[in-house]
Structures are given as structure tokens and as C-alpha cells.
Amino acid sequence: MNTPPRQPLLQIQGLKKSYRKRPVLKGINLNIFAGETIIIMGPSGCGKSTLVRCINRLTEPDDGHIIFDGVEVTSLPFAQLSGLRRRIGFVFQQFNLIRRLNVLENVTFALRIYGQEKAEAEDRAMQALARVGLKERALNFPAELSGGEQQRVGIARALALEPQLMLWDEPTAALDPILVSEVIEIMEELVRQKETTMLVVTHEVGFASRAADRIIFMDHGIIVEEGPPDVVLSTPQSEIAKKYKKLLQT
Ligand SMILES: Nc1ncnc2c1ncn2[C@@H]1O[C@H](COP(=O)(O)OP(=O)(O)O)[C@@H](O)[C@H]1O
Ligand SMILES: [Mg+2]
């Protein structure tokens, strides 16, 4: 007997977005299956952030469909967006921590909004902080942490939701080169554990070659190439993929 075809966790079909009539996403099609780690690479301004932000409607798409776990995200009424965002963790380039809240409060904030009891939320937050090695810093404020530590709090905040999908928008791009590796190490550990599906925008080509199931190359609002890292980084077809291959060799 044939097994039924596996449904993707996330389907993106014909996604379009323009800013002031200037097209930024020109029809993106992408399927992501549960457990996959997908890495998006491409030059600055090509639409990567716009794409990942459309997935949980931080940015409103103009056209096309986004279907997450069988639910049409693009037509969800505003009131139902928080339910969606509880299942999709987001790690921002600029960390986006709340400066007047301590680390623990930053991590519990969303859990509390989504209705979790204080004690349970703190328990989950401490577990998430332990996973990023920051349990001892729970009562510190963001300004008392290094950039790498702040981003690890950002990761813990997303992990505490126990999301089905984690979106990462250039999580190491705002960090000193010396601090990049501490964040990359945590990301690689999360990929190894395979408990959540990951969609990561990054220029870290070494990380991409080790962690990705597939790399998606974007340029000027379209996907120009995609495939497993050992294929696209050894025999790249597009100009963009060729540039990343060169980076890997330097
Ligand atoms: N809110 C916005 N208003 C107007 N233009 C925007 C906005 N956000 C992004 N853009 C433009 O859209 C293009 C794609 O941006 P973005 O998705 O951030 O690219 P990337 O993340 O690949 O660097 C860029 O030219 C950027 O200037
Ligand atoms: Mg961006």
C-alpha cells in the first residue's frame, strides 16, 4: 500500500510584496517539511527579511498564499494572529529585547500574554535559559549583557514557546565577529536536536554548509537556486550561489 504524500508544515505559494509599487517579493514558492532546517541566503535588499516576516504576518503580503500546518495564514483575521505567533518563534537581527525587563521577564513575557500561569511560565523560561547557558543571568537586564548573550536571550524567548517553526532573521549579523560563534554553536545544537523546524536567514556560509538540509538562494525578490548544501555549494549554478561558494573557500 502506498503511504500518503507528506504534507509540508509550511507552504508558500506565489508570495508577492511591493513597497510603494516597487516589487520586493516577486512570487516566492517554497515548501518546508517538519524537521527540516532551511537556510536562506542572498544579498542585502533582496527580500529575505520581507519573506520571513510575511510568514507570521509581521509584514502583510500583497498576494499569494502561506499555509502553516493546514491553516491559511494569509487570510487569518487579525484577532487570530497571536495564536499563530505562539507556534512560530522569531529571532530578530537586533535581538528586540525589552530593555526595562530583566532576562527572565523578557522570556516569560510572551508566555504570560498567551495566558500561562506565572510559575509555569518561569519554569519554562528557566529551562529555555538553561539551554542557551544563561540560567545564572536570569535577573540581569539586557544592558548588562554582551550582544551574544542578548541574542541568546532572544533565542531562549523563542524556544520557551516550544514553537513548531522557528524563523531566524540574520541572528548573528549585529554581533562582533568574536561573539558570532557562541550563537552559531547554540543554533547548531538546536539543529542537531531536530525538535523544531528552522528557517534561517544568514550569511554564515560555514554554518549553512554544516546545518542546512536545503539552502535557498534569493536575488531581487525571487528564488534563484535551491538544493542541499553539498550540491549548491560545490556546483553552484547562479551568480549568487557562486559568490557564497567563494566565501566558503576563503
Ligand atoms: N517597511 C518598508 N518600507 C519600504 N521599503 C522597505 C520596507 N522594508 C523593506 N523595504 C525595502 O525592501 C527591499 C527588501 O528589503 P528586505 O526584505 O529587508 O531585504 P533583505 O532582508 O534581503 O536585506 C529593500 O530594498 C528595502 O529597502
Ligand atoms: Mg534583512
Side-chain angles (χ1 to χ4, degrees), residues 5-26:
R6 206 156 59 106
Q7 277 294 319
L9 176 66
L10 179 71
Q11 294 168 265
I12 300 175
Q13 298 164 349
L15 185 69
K16 292 185 183 168
K17 175 72 181 177
S18 295
Y19 288 112
R20 291 184 210 92
K21 299 202 176 145
R22 195 170 61 86
V24 167
L25 297 179
K26 300 173 184 167

Short mmCIF file of all heavy atoms in Angstrom, two decimals, residues 5-26:
data_model
loop_
_atom_site.label_atom_id
_atom_site.label_comp_id
_atom_site.label_asym_id
_atom_site.label_seq_id
_atom_site.Cartn_x
_atom_site.Cartn_y
_atom_site.Cartn_z
N PRO A 5 1.27 11.09 0.53
CA PRO A 5 2.38 12.05 0.49
C PRO A 5 2.35 12.93 1.74
O PRO A 5 1.28 13.30 2.22
CB PRO A 5 2.09 12.87 -0.77
CG PRO A 5 0.68 12.59 -1.13
CD PRO A 5 0.30 11.28 -0.53
N ARG A 6 3.55 13.21 2.26
CA ARG A 6 3.66 14.02 3.47
C ARG A 6 3.30 15.47 3.15
O ARG A 6 3.77 16.02 2.17
CB ARG A 6 5.11 13.92 3.96
CG ARG A 6 5.30 14.15 5.43
CD ARG A 6 6.60 13.45 5.89
NE ARG A 6 7.78 13.93 5.19
CZ ARG A 6 8.69 14.74 5.75
NH1 ARG A 6 8.54 15.17 6.98
NH2 ARG A 6 9.76 15.12 5.07
N GLN A 7 2.46 16.07 4.00
CA GLN A 7 2.12 17.49 3.83
C GLN A 7 3.25 18.36 4.36
O GLN A 7 3.74 18.11 5.44
CB GLN A 7 0.85 17.80 4.64
CG GLN A 7 -0.45 17.44 3.95
CD GLN A 7 -0.69 18.28 2.70
OE1 GLN A 7 -0.43 19.47 2.70
NE2 GLN A 7 -1.16 17.64 1.64
N PRO A 8 3.61 19.40 3.61
CA PRO A 8 4.61 20.31 4.19
C PRO A 8 4.04 21.00 5.43
O PRO A 8 2.82 21.24 5.50
CB PRO A 8 4.84 21.34 3.07
CG PRO A 8 4.22 20.78 1.85
CD PRO A 8 3.16 19.81 2.28
N LEU A 9 4.91 21.33 6.39
CA LEU A 9 4.48 22.12 7.54
C LEU A 9 4.14 23.54 7.10
O LEU A 9 3.20 24.15 7.57
CB LEU A 9 5.60 22.15 8.61
CG LEU A 9 5.33 23.02 9.83
CD1 LEU A 9 4.16 22.46 10.64
CD2 LEU A 9 6.58 23.14 10.68
N LEU A 10 4.94 24.02 6.15
CA LEU A 10 4.74 25.39 5.65
C LEU A 10 4.76 25.38 4.12
O LEU A 10 5.67 24.82 3.52
CB LEU A 10 5.88 26.29 6.16
CG LEU A 10 5.82 27.76 5.72
CD1 LEU A 10 4.68 28.49 6.41
CD2 LEU A 10 7.15 28.46 6.03
N GLN A 11 3.72 25.96 3.54
CA GLN A 11 3.67 26.11 2.09
C GLN A 11 3.59 27.59 1.75
O GLN A 11 2.69 28.29 2.25
CB GLN A 11 2.43 25.42 1.52
CG GLN A 11 2.43 23.92 1.66
CD GLN A 11 1.06 23.35 1.34
OE1 GLN A 11 0.25 23.12 2.25
NE2 GLN A 11 0.79 23.11 0.08
N ILE A 12 4.49 28.03 0.90
CA ILE A 12 4.45 29.42 0.44
C ILE A 12 4.23 29.36 -1.07
O ILE A 12 4.97 28.69 -1.79
CB ILE A 12 5.76 30.16 0.77
CG1 ILE A 12 5.99 30.16 2.29
CG2 ILE A 12 5.76 31.58 0.21
CD1 ILE A 12 7.31 30.75 2.72
N GLN A 13 3.16 30.01 -1.53
CA GLN A 13 2.78 29.91 -2.94
C GLN A 13 2.57 31.30 -3.54
O GLN A 13 1.70 32.06 -3.07
CB GLN A 13 1.48 29.11 -3.07
CG GLN A 13 1.60 27.68 -2.57
CD GLN A 13 0.26 27.01 -2.33
OE1 GLN A 13 -0.79 27.67 -2.35
NE2 GLN A 13 0.29 25.71 -2.08
N GLY A 14 3.36 31.62 -4.53
CA GLY A 14 3.15 32.87 -5.29
C GLY A 14 3.18 34.12 -4.43
O GLY A 14 2.43 35.07 -4.70
N LEU A 15 4.04 34.13 -3.42
CA LEU A 15 4.04 35.25 -2.46
C LEU A 15 4.64 36.52 -3.09
O LEU A 15 5.74 36.49 -3.63
CB LEU A 15 4.84 34.87 -1.21
CG LEU A 15 4.83 35.90 -0.09
CD1 LEU A 15 3.44 35.99 0.55
CD2 LEU A 15 5.86 35.53 0.98
N LYS A 16 3.85 37.60 -3.00
CA LYS A 16 4.30 38.87 -3.58
C LYS A 16 4.16 40.00 -2.56
O LYS A 16 3.21 40.01 -1.76
CB LYS A 16 3.47 39.24 -4.81
CG LYS A 16 3.72 38.31 -5.97
CD LYS A 16 2.97 38.78 -7.20
CE LYS A 16 3.19 37.77 -8.33
NZ LYS A 16 2.28 38.00 -9.45
N LYS A 17 5.11 40.92 -2.61
CA LYS A 17 5.04 42.10 -1.76
C LYS A 17 5.75 43.27 -2.46
O LYS A 17 6.84 43.10 -2.99
CB LYS A 17 5.74 41.82 -0.42
CG LYS A 17 5.85 43.02 0.51
CD LYS A 17 4.51 43.38 1.10
CE LYS A 17 4.61 44.60 2.02
NZ LYS A 17 3.29 44.99 2.53
N SER A 18 5.09 44.40 -2.46
CA SER A 18 5.72 45.62 -3.01
C SER A 18 5.73 46.70 -1.94
O SER A 18 4.83 46.73 -1.09
CB SER A 18 4.93 46.16 -4.21
OG SER A 18 4.97 45.24 -5.27
N TYR A 19 6.72 47.55 -1.98
CA TYR A 19 6.71 48.77 -1.17
C TYR A 19 6.62 49.95 -2.12
O TYR A 19 7.47 50.10 -2.99
CB TYR A 19 7.97 48.88 -0.32
CG TYR A 19 8.01 47.91 0.83
CD1 TYR A 19 8.93 46.87 0.85
CD2 TYR A 19 7.13 48.03 1.91
CE1 TYR A 19 8.98 45.97 1.92
CE2 TYR A 19 7.18 47.14 2.98
CZ TYR A 19 8.09 46.12 2.97
OH TYR A 19 8.13 45.24 4.03
N ARG A 20 5.62 50.74 -1.97
CA ARG A 20 5.37 51.89 -2.85
C ARG A 20 5.55 51.49 -4.32
O ARG A 20 6.33 52.08 -5.06
CB ARG A 20 6.30 53.07 -2.50
CG ARG A 20 5.94 53.67 -1.17
CD ARG A 20 6.79 54.90 -0.85
NE ARG A 20 6.94 55.01 0.58
CZ ARG A 20 7.95 54.50 1.29
NH1 ARG A 20 8.93 53.88 0.67
NH2 ARG A 20 8.00 54.64 2.58
N LYS A 21 4.82 50.46 -4.70
CA LYS A 21 4.78 49.96 -6.08
C LYS A 21 6.10 49.34 -6.54
O LYS A 21 6.21 48.89 -7.68
CB LYS A 21 4.34 51.06 -7.07
CG LYS A 21 2.94 51.56 -6.75
CD LYS A 21 2.30 52.20 -7.95
CE LYS A 21 0.87 52.58 -7.63
NZ LYS A 21 0.44 53.80 -8.27
N ARG A 22 7.12 49.32 -5.65
CA ARG A 22 8.37 48.67 -6.05
C ARG A 22 8.32 47.22 -5.56
O ARG A 22 8.24 46.97 -4.36
CB ARG A 22 9.56 49.39 -5.42
CG ARG A 22 10.89 49.01 -6.04
CD ARG A 22 11.98 49.94 -5.55
NE ARG A 22 12.15 49.84 -4.10
CZ ARG A 22 12.91 48.93 -3.50
NH1 ARG A 22 13.57 48.05 -4.21
NH2 ARG A 22 13.01 48.91 -2.19
N PRO A 23 8.31 46.24 -6.48
CA PRO A 23 8.21 44.84 -6.04
C PRO A 23 9.47 44.39 -5.29
O PRO A 23 10.58 44.61 -5.77
CB PRO A 23 8.03 44.06 -7.34
CG PRO A 23 8.35 44.98 -8.45
CD PRO A 23 8.35 46.38 -7.94
N VAL A 24 9.25 43.78 -4.14
CA VAL A 24 10.35 43.29 -3.30
C VAL A 24 10.34 41.76 -3.27
O VAL A 24 11.37 41.12 -3.29
CB VAL A 24 10.21 43.88 -1.88
CG1 VAL A 24 11.13 43.18 -0.91
CG2 VAL A 24 10.50 45.38 -1.90
N LEU A 25 9.13 41.17 -3.25
CA LEU A 25 8.97 39.73 -3.44
C LEU A 25 8.14 39.55 -4.70
O LEU A 25 7.04 40.09 -4.81
CB LEU A 25 8.27 39.08 -2.24
CG LEU A 25 8.99 39.16 -0.90
CD1 LEU A 25 8.16 38.49 0.19
CD2 LEU A 25 10.39 38.53 -0.96
N LYS A 26 8.66 38.76 -5.66
CA LYS A 26 8.03 38.72 -6.98
C LYS A 26 7.39 37.37 -7.30
O LYS A 26 7.32 36.98 -8.46
CB LYS A 26 9.08 39.05 -8.05
CG LYS A 26 9.70 40.44 -7.86
CD LYS A 26 10.85 40.65 -8.83
CE LYS A 26 11.54 41.98 -8.59
NZ LYS A 26 12.83 42.05 -9.31
#
